[in-house]
Amino acid sequence: MQEGSYGMEGSNGMCEGSHATVIDMGDGTTVSSHTMEGIPIWMAIVGVVAIIAISHLFTAPRPATARRAWRLDLLRSPRLAGLIKRPAFPLIAQSLSILALLLIVSAGLFGSQRLNIATVLTWTWWWALLIFLILGLGKAFCTICPWEGLASLLTAGSLRTRRKKLGFELPWPKIARNVYPALILFILLTWFELGYGVTKSPAMTAVMALIMMALAVGAAVIFERRGFCRHACLVGRISGLYALFSPLELRARSQDVCGSCTEKSCVRGNELAVGCPTGLYPGKLEENTYCTLCTECVRACPSDNLAINLRPPGADLFHKVRFQKDEAILAIVMLALTSFHGLTMTPIWWRLSDLMRVNLGLGPKLIFTLLMTAMTAAPILLFWMTAAAARGLTPGAGVSTGRIFTAFAYAVIPVALFYHLAHNGMHFFMEGQFLLPVLSDPFGLGWNLFGTARRGYAPLLSLRTIWCLQIAFIVIGHVYGVLVSARVAHTLFKNQGDARRSLIPLLVTMILYSCFSVWLIAQPMEMRTGM
């Protein structure tokens, strides 16, 4: 195999600030690995200064008021309401995603393993854009989820109804009625994705899609309702926490109407719909975390009392009063693993791996596992120390370190969300154009269906624009994180002085992490697709 390098601007469509190593496969074809150069130092400094300044501006805002923010009920539109209330709406919503899943699996298993649509469509488009979808539409992916769609079709045995005919209807195990199953799956996915190069392997991508399908279908057959969706689906639980920030919600129009209803068809179901598959009661629904936006309750409600609202971003986080430890740990791990993903793309990662290999004599998989474990555990330990420091500054408040840790972790959610946007945006805007060639040759068999297979395309945005967007995302996430942390502090502590003092270690930790995020995106990074 021979290696060479592209020019900065030429027939390959690369933009200034990036380069690619071309590998000759020996049969007249080539693949390449793209590297994005580091961010200008002045831009990183501006980002860090902005983060610190913003933290001081919002250090001690006033406590949250009880006033409810504005809402815009989208189901007041007769066309949208008519579409969602159609019995066939779930199948309509999931049909395209099911077809895409079948294409990914077939291309991954039966297409060329050098290059086909499976990896590009899964990792560069779906996985990268999923976070943007959550930012704008909350749990909308659950509405169109292909795994849930296939599970419903197989257990109902019908295209017309979602009512289960096949299954044992066992209760979900009590020990797993939390988000720890999803957390474990998320850690395992990250380990396989990065440790085994799944993002560059069509076959492994297809196998991973099939494993998710088997888990969803198997759980639907064995357990009642959709326990997998509520507790074990890593995509659903990640999007559930991020959807606390989303400007979209499903809520009851009037809780009085729900309170006077004796049928509770929204949960139990009726002849029109099967009711909430995750067992939620919409009349008491106050946040997005576990709602899958399947809209079964909308079709089942005899009083037409359910709304899909637009609202201000972050509404659930600003009014959060119940805090769960399992969700808190997931929030911190989400932040940790997204940063870890970015770190593995930098030269620093390879230097550290080589150092451990040479000095400790360890194998690459063990080194990867040790570093991933350390990167996952360190933020949890850091936030526990932050909570302990806050407890030390408020000795008379009577709030335990564990409760402070659990509550303050929710302030991490917007920080994690917007860093995730910065990271995934880099991938999408640098690699999204790779979908055009594989659309013409989805199986990598030499086709050229649409005339795009043998052409080069420039990245969707220039490198400088991507850098500016990344800095903006990190700063916006930090702003919302500071605002949420202040609301949480005033919820935990009755005394405003205690609330302000408790914020000091949290804000220091958030500033350190946001500065680390700016430093991380400033490093040269190798793109994932390998095209």
Side-chain angles (χ1 to χ4, degrees), residues 290-307:
Y290 297 100
C291 174
T292 61
L293 274 183
C294 67
T295 64
E296 290 291 341
C297 58
V298 175
R299 286 183 291 280
C301 180
S303 303
D304 196 24
N305 189 43
L306 291 165

Side-chain angles (χ1 to χ4, degrees), residues 192-252:
F192 276 108
E193 177 193 349
L194 301 178
Y196 282 87
V198 173
T199 58
K200 295 182 180 182
S201 170
M204 294 181 71
T205 297
V207 169
M208 191 165 289
L210 288 174
I211 290 173
M212 282 292 293
M213 185 175 72
L215 290 172
V217 173
V221 171
I222 297 171
F223 300 108
E224 62 185 356
R225 295 185 180 272
R226 287 290 181 264
F228 178 80
C229 296
R230 176 156 183 161
H231 301 293
C233 178
L234 65 99
V235 179
R237 294 306 92 235
I238 291 171
S239 62
L241 285 187
Y242 282 160
L244 293 172
F245 188 87
S246 166
L248 199 70
E249 65 179 15
L250 188 148
R251 298 290 187 272

Side-chain angles (χ1 to χ4, degrees), residues 504-518:
I504 295 172
L506 177 60
L507 292 179
V508 170
T509 298
M510 292 176 64
I511 290 171
L512 289 174
Y513 185 81
S514 294
C515 291
F516 170 75
S517 298
V518 172

Side-chain angles (χ1 to χ4, degrees), residues 399-413:
V399 184
S400 68
T401 299
R403 178 156 173 77
I404 295 172
F405 169 86
T406 301
F408 276 1
Y410 286 83
V412 169
I413 290 174

Side-chain angles (χ1 to χ4, degrees), residues 329-376:
I329 293 175
L330 176 60
I332 297 173
V333 171
M334 283 160 48
L335 182 68
L337 291 186
T338 305
S339 301
F340 174 71
H341 196 297
L343 187 65
T344 62
M345 299 166 58
T346 65
I348 295 169
W349 167 264
W350 298 111
R351 287 198 291 269
L352 182 58
S353 297
D354 287 343
L355 187 65
M356 293 179 67
R357 178 180 55 82
V358 171
N359 293 321
L360 302 178
L362 303 178
K365 290 295 183 294
L366 180 57
I367 291 173
F368 178 86
T369 302
L370 290 173
L371 290 176
M372 179 176 168
T373 301
M375 190 73 176
T376 305

Side-chain angles (χ1 to χ4, degrees), residues 443-461:
F443 287 78
L445 300 177
W447 302 345
N448 195 7
L449 301 177
F450 308 110
T452 61
R454 298 176 180 85
R455 294 180 57 187
Y457 297 91
L460 302 179
L461 292 177

